[in-house]
Amino acid sequence: MFLFSWISVVTGSVSYDSKAILINGKRRILLSGSIHYPRSTPEMWPGLIQKAKVGGLDVIQTYVFWNGHEPSPGKFYFEGRYDLVQFIKLVQKAGLYVHLRIGPFVCAEWNFGGFPVWLKFVPGIVFRQDNEPFKAAMRAFTEKIVNMMKAENLFEPQGGPIILSQIENEYELMEYDIGKIGKDYANWAAQMAVGLNTYVPWVMCKQEDAPDPIINTCNGFYCENFYPNKNYKPKMWTEAWSGWLLEFGGPFPYRPVEDLAFAVAKFIQNSGTFVNYYMYHGGTNFGRTSGRFVATSYDYDSPIDEYGLAREPKWSHLRDLHKAIKLCEPALLYANPTVTSLGQNQEAHVFEPGSGTCAAFLANYDADYSVTVNFRNMQYDLPPWSVSILPDCKNVNFNTAKVSTPGYQAQMVPVNGWKFYWQSYTEACASVGDKKSYAADGLKEQLSSTWDNTDYLWYMTDITIDSNEGFLKNGQLPSLTVESAGHAIDVYINGQLSGTAYGRLSTPNAVFSDKVNLKAGTSQIALLSSAVGLQNVGTHFEQWNIGILGPVTLEGLNSGTWDMSKWKWSYKIGVGGEDLNLYTAKGSSAVNWVDGSGLAINKPLTWYKAIFDAPDGNEPLALDMNTMGKGEIWINGNSIGRHWPGVKGVGNCNKCSYAGLFNETKCLNGCGQPSQRWYHLPRSWLLPKWNTLVIFEQWGGDPRGISLVKRI
């Protein structure tokens, strides 16, 4: 009874009714866009926020990234790209509101779904269910964020910009999987959040049974047929997917703006009053923050691209859509639509609250044919798969399929006269007995050793080949098979790279199986297991494994097949250059670099270094890594992220029409090309002179082909 009363009588400055969110007692149509503060730099934030405002948005939505803020238990970080308070204050300064999605599970194609890896190792913990260790940790972090916002007076009743908060994230599928223990947890999470007394509404997205007073909301490509679980809650779309994620091994997905605008218009004409674009600016997964097999670029085909530039015609077309919707606001907020048929696949949605106010949406759901419809004694031409918006029920202000802004494909242009002068250092393959190595029986799960402080774990063993082995005489080399829970394997035999294997987002397990060149006597096998981000979604994903778990077998010996899985193995965490901090100015002096004719070309386990001055101008910059394989990039000690141009995009890149239902595989570019060729180099990370660029190349590449480019 208390919860229902809260809905009915709340007098705070942010509330809701069946139609909309109310701010200071006034219903609002709210147009929102996701901009994740760690996926851009603080220097970019004001420009991104301003573009969002000029683009017609009212609200900036962001997740809160627990693993960025509490990298170790009780040790908090809110600086640089993680300065959440500063980001929110910049949004407020621009005159916009904030929807703060505390989660703290975020998914977001972010490493470990936003959870810190140390959380996995709390005794007795089970993620996202009615489990006391998890609930204690989740409550502590949620309270930390809420109290921080209160201390800075950032909730709207305090005079701040935060009008909405979110607890949990897309939980209903997991709840369905695990049953009552999930439902109990969802109810607990809701009660915990409301009990923090933020005096702004809380939402739970994709949570059909969200308990009062929580508002359940929709995420998806289309949400016009969604309705909240109670008729006194507003219809909200917290994630209107503007594109899709780029994965290593996939081509670039894009969503035509005509379809995105069509989806939004359909949602509004069906009584929706809150729409958030996920993403409005996608940004970059700097460092090692991307989820499993998610690329360093998180561009998402957003209205504002990864580099902070308006993507045309998407940005302008949506801006014009927003203007048309706002012209309809007085009618939309105070009337329910009257729906009439205009043809077999055509409808009119009319909002007419009286006093001469009227707005109409004329929809053509046919994906193939334009039609002319009669509406109130006038004729209107409707292109396929489109909605025309008439803010006065007479004159068309906007049609979702008629794009007036010319399209422009941003170009990556080499900086004139620019050339890097490279030095290289090749580290040795790890071997049994190396410093910092340790031995254990059997094959170890990778994360339990690394705690995700590195992508890499070496698995090493020595084998003795008898001189009487038949393959030494007949040339029929034995086959080594290595099965891994993910994500990539490099196989070294006696210090030489013998082959690689890797998974993909849909099939993360990696299997290496090939002939190996062994010699009589003792041979060394070293397997370099590398993670490509951690799982970010799934039931009990904290229990999922990575690394080489076997079996590891050697077939084709006189005695048959050897199963080496339970042998004693040696392990070494990370690669040598990481231990030496070669990516820092101080660390790079720890080794002898070579250049000129001694420069390593196409050699694995090689580090490259170049010193350069910042180019003139203010255009966004990137590195063209087309001639490299796989590894990581640093500039002045800051990690740009993983590079992996050695993996190509696999998919169906046929011509794509905007009309017809969209999904993440419908519109693709770049099949057969590197999934990601260009890597964002933030200008704010550059010094005027003497910048240190360091690249770790895991597979082998040619740094002479790397170029500095500007995005124009």
Side-chain angles (χ1 to χ4, degrees), residues 63 72 189 282 297 431 445 466 475 491 612 687:
Y63 282 122
S72 58
S297 171
S431 61
E445 195 276 333
D466 191 276
V491 176
F612 68 98
L687 306 170

Side-chain angles (χ1 to χ4, degrees), residues 114-410:
F115 288 151
V117 169
W118 57 259
L119 193 68
K120 171 184 170 73
F121 300 102
V122 172
I125 202 162
V126 182
F127 286 4
R128 303 178 74 204
Q129 69 178 46
D130 194 16
N131 170 267
E132 293 304 322
F134 178 76
K135 291 193 297 183
M138 175 177 168
R139 178 194 292 274
F141 181 74
T142 304
E143 287 180 345
K144 172 78 175 180
I145 297 301
V146 167
N147 290 337
M148 178 179 290
M149 299 301 104
K150 287 181 177 179
E152 297 288 341
N153 297 316
L154 292 177
F155 288 106
E156 205 280 341
Q158 301 175 292
I162 302 174
I163 59 169
L164 293 164
S165 294
Q166 178 178 303
I167 196 70
E168 251 300 330
N169 188 63
E170 299 185 329
Y171 187 67
E172 66 185 15
L173 288 178
M174 181 167 171
E175 180 182 318
Y176 178 82
D177 283 347
I178 65 177
K180 182 180 183 299
I181 198 170
K183 187 174 183 64
D184 291 344
Y185 162 72
N187 288 333
W188 169 85
Q191 293 170 9
M192 183 269 289
V194 173
L196 295 175
N197 297 320
T198 62
Y199 303 106
V200 301
W202 288 82
V203 307
M204 296 178 86
C205 66
K206 294 185 75 171
Q207 186 68 36
E208 186 176 0
D209 63 354
D212 289 346
I214 306 291
I215 307 168
N216 64 303
T217 67
C218 186
N219 294 353
F221 290 119
Y222 306 96
C223 280
E224 69 271 16
N225 295 321
F226 163 83
Y227 287 94
N229 59 19
K230 298 292 175 58
N231 60 11
Y232 44 76
K233 297 178 182 180
K235 179 172 176 171
M236 299 175 61
W237 191 1
T238 37
E239 291 188 15
W241 297 333
S242 60
W244 197 246
L245 64 102
L246 175 65
E247 63 179 272
F248 283 127
F252 180 82
Y254 65 97
R255 185 177 188 183
V257 69
E258 298 94 330
D259 178 68
L260 180 57
F262 179 60
V264 172
K266 287 196 297 178
F267 183 75
I268 297 294
Q269 76 177 12
N270 281 280
S271 301
T273 55
F274 179 99
V275 177
N276 175 78
Y277 296 99
Y278 187 98
M279 299 289 299
Y280 198 75
H281 164 73
T284 306
N285 292 315
F286 294 114
R288 297 167 47 253
T289 58
S290 62
R292 185 177 65 180
F293 283 99
V294 176
T296 298
S297 171
Y298 199 66
D299 182 270
Y300 220 86
D301 196 40
S302 301
I304 304 174
D305 73 13
E306 179 181 2
Y307 299 85
L309 302 179
R311 171 173 275 112
E312 297 294 7
K314 185 169 272 191
W315 183 86
S316 292
H317 194 56
L318 294 178
R319 175 202 61 197
D320 295 343
L321 168 66
H322 302 156
K323 289 178 180 178
I325 291 171
K326 289 295 187 177
L327 290 173
C328 301
E329 190 170 20
L332 294 171
L333 291 174
Y334 294 97
N336 292 319
T338 299
V339 182
T340 58
S341 174
L342 301 177
Q344 184 176 359
N345 291 300
Q346 295 78 38
E347 285 181 339
H349 290 241
V350 180
F351 297 79
E352 201 162 12
S355 303
T357 303
C358 186
F361 292 68
L362 308 183
N364 177 16
Y365 305 126
D366 195 305
D368 298 314
Y369 298 104
S370 297
V371 295
T372 299
V373 299
N374 291 304
F375 174 71
R376 295 195 173 186
N377 299 318
M378 295 182 66
Q379 290 190 331
Y380 297 89
D381 295 326
L382 299 177
W385 203 253
S386 74
V387 174
S388 284
I389 300 177
L390 290 62
D392 59 359
C393 285
K394 294 180 181 178
N395 299 293
V396 176
N397 179 274
F398 181 86
N399 178 273
T400 59
K402 295 181 178 179
V403 179
S404 59
T405 302
Y408 177 72
Q409 183 67 44

Side-chain angles (χ1 to χ4, degrees), residues 394-706:
K394 294 180 181 178
N395 299 293
V396 176
N397 179 274
F398 181 86
N399 178 273
T400 59
K402 295 181 178 179
V403 179
S404 59
T405 302
Y408 177 72
Q409 183 67 44
Q411 303 295 315
M412 293 299 201
V413 179
V415 176
N416 286 336
W418 202 265
K419 185 178 180 181
F420 290 114
Y421 294 92
W422 292 102
Q423 298 176 297
S424 66
Y425 165 76
T426 301
E427 64 179 71
C429 167
S431 61
V432 174
D434 275 359
K435 184 179 179 182
K436 294 188 178 181
S437 67
Y438 62 95
D441 291 332
L443 296 166
K444 294 179 64 66
E445 195 276 333
Q446 182 168 334
L447 200 57
S448 64
S449 294
T450 66
W451 282 49
D452 199 41
N453 290 313
T454 172
D455 280 349
Y456 300 106
L457 180 65
W458 287 98
Y459 296 68
M460 301 165 288
T461 192
D462 290 345
I463 61 173
T464 300
I465 300 298
D466 191 276
S467 59
N468 292 321
E469 284 289 347
F471 76 84
L472 295 173
K473 300 172 183 177
N474 62 28
Q476 298 296 316
L477 295 176
S479 293
L480 178 68
T481 298
V482 182
E483 296 192 22
S484 169
H487 302 130
I489 312 164
D490 300 341
V491 176
Y492 286 82
I493 304 297
N494 295 320
Q496 300 300 310
L497 181 62
S498 181
T500 64
Y502 53 88
R504 295 182 182 272
L505 180 61
S506 59
T507 53
N509 293 4
V511 178
F512 173 89
S513 186
D514 204 354
K515 305 287 187 181
V516 288
N517 189 11
L518 300 175
K519 61 184 180 180
T522 300
S523 287
Q524 298 177 340
I525 297 178
L527 311 175
L528 180 59
S529 174
S530 56
V532 188
L534 299 182
Q535 59 273 17
N536 54 276
V537 67
T539 301
H540 297 322
F541 69 81
E542 76 280 6
Q543 299 174 14
W544 299 3
N545 295 320
I546 61 171
I548 299 169
L549 300 181
V552 176
T553 61
L554 189 63
E555 182 180 4
L557 304 173
N558 290 351
S559 56
T561 298
W562 292 358
D563 186 344
M564 300 183 285
S565 307
K566 295 181 180 180
W567 288 14
K568 178 168 284 188
W569 289 78
S570 292
Y571 297 88
K572 187 175 182 181
I573 297 171
V575 292
E578 291 177 308
D579 285 343
L580 296 172
N581 295 319
L582 291 186
Y583 47 84
T584 67
K586 181 179 179 181
S588 68
S589 64
V591 299
N592 293 319
W593 299 83
V594 297
D595 55 14
S597 60
L599 185 71
I601 305 297
N602 294 321
K603 288 187 178 180
L605 301 178
T606 297
W607 295 76
Y608 296 100
K609 181 176 73 170
I611 308 297
F612 68 98
D613 297 341
D616 295 334
N618 57 8
E619 302 93 345
L621 298 174
L623 293 171
D624 183 345
M625 299 288 291
N626 194 42
T627 59
M628 304 301 285
K630 180 180 184 295
E632 192 170 350
I633 310 168
W634 293 263
I635 181 69
N636 295 326
N638 297 301
S639 176
I640 290 174
R642 299 182 183 94
H643 74 84
W644 199 359
V647 65
K648 311 301 182 186
V650 176
N652 187 358
C653 291
N654 291 334
K655 185 177 181 181
C656 171
S657 169
Y658 79 86
L661 286 173
F662 181 82
N663 61 53
E664 65 271 20
T665 62
K666 179 181 179 182
C667 301
L668 303 172
N669 274 331
C671 293
Q673 301 298 314
S675 293
Q676 185 176 350
R677 174 176 175 175
W678 295 284
Y679 295 78
H680 183 199
L681 181 64
R683 276 193 178 266
S684 59
W685 289 4
L686 296 181
L687 306 170
K689 293 183 177 297
W690 296 98
N691 295 283
T692 302
L693 174 62
V694 175
I695 296 169
F696 173 60
E697 177 49 56
Q698 177 182 338
W699 283 357
D702 187 349
R704 297 169 300 182
I706 298 174

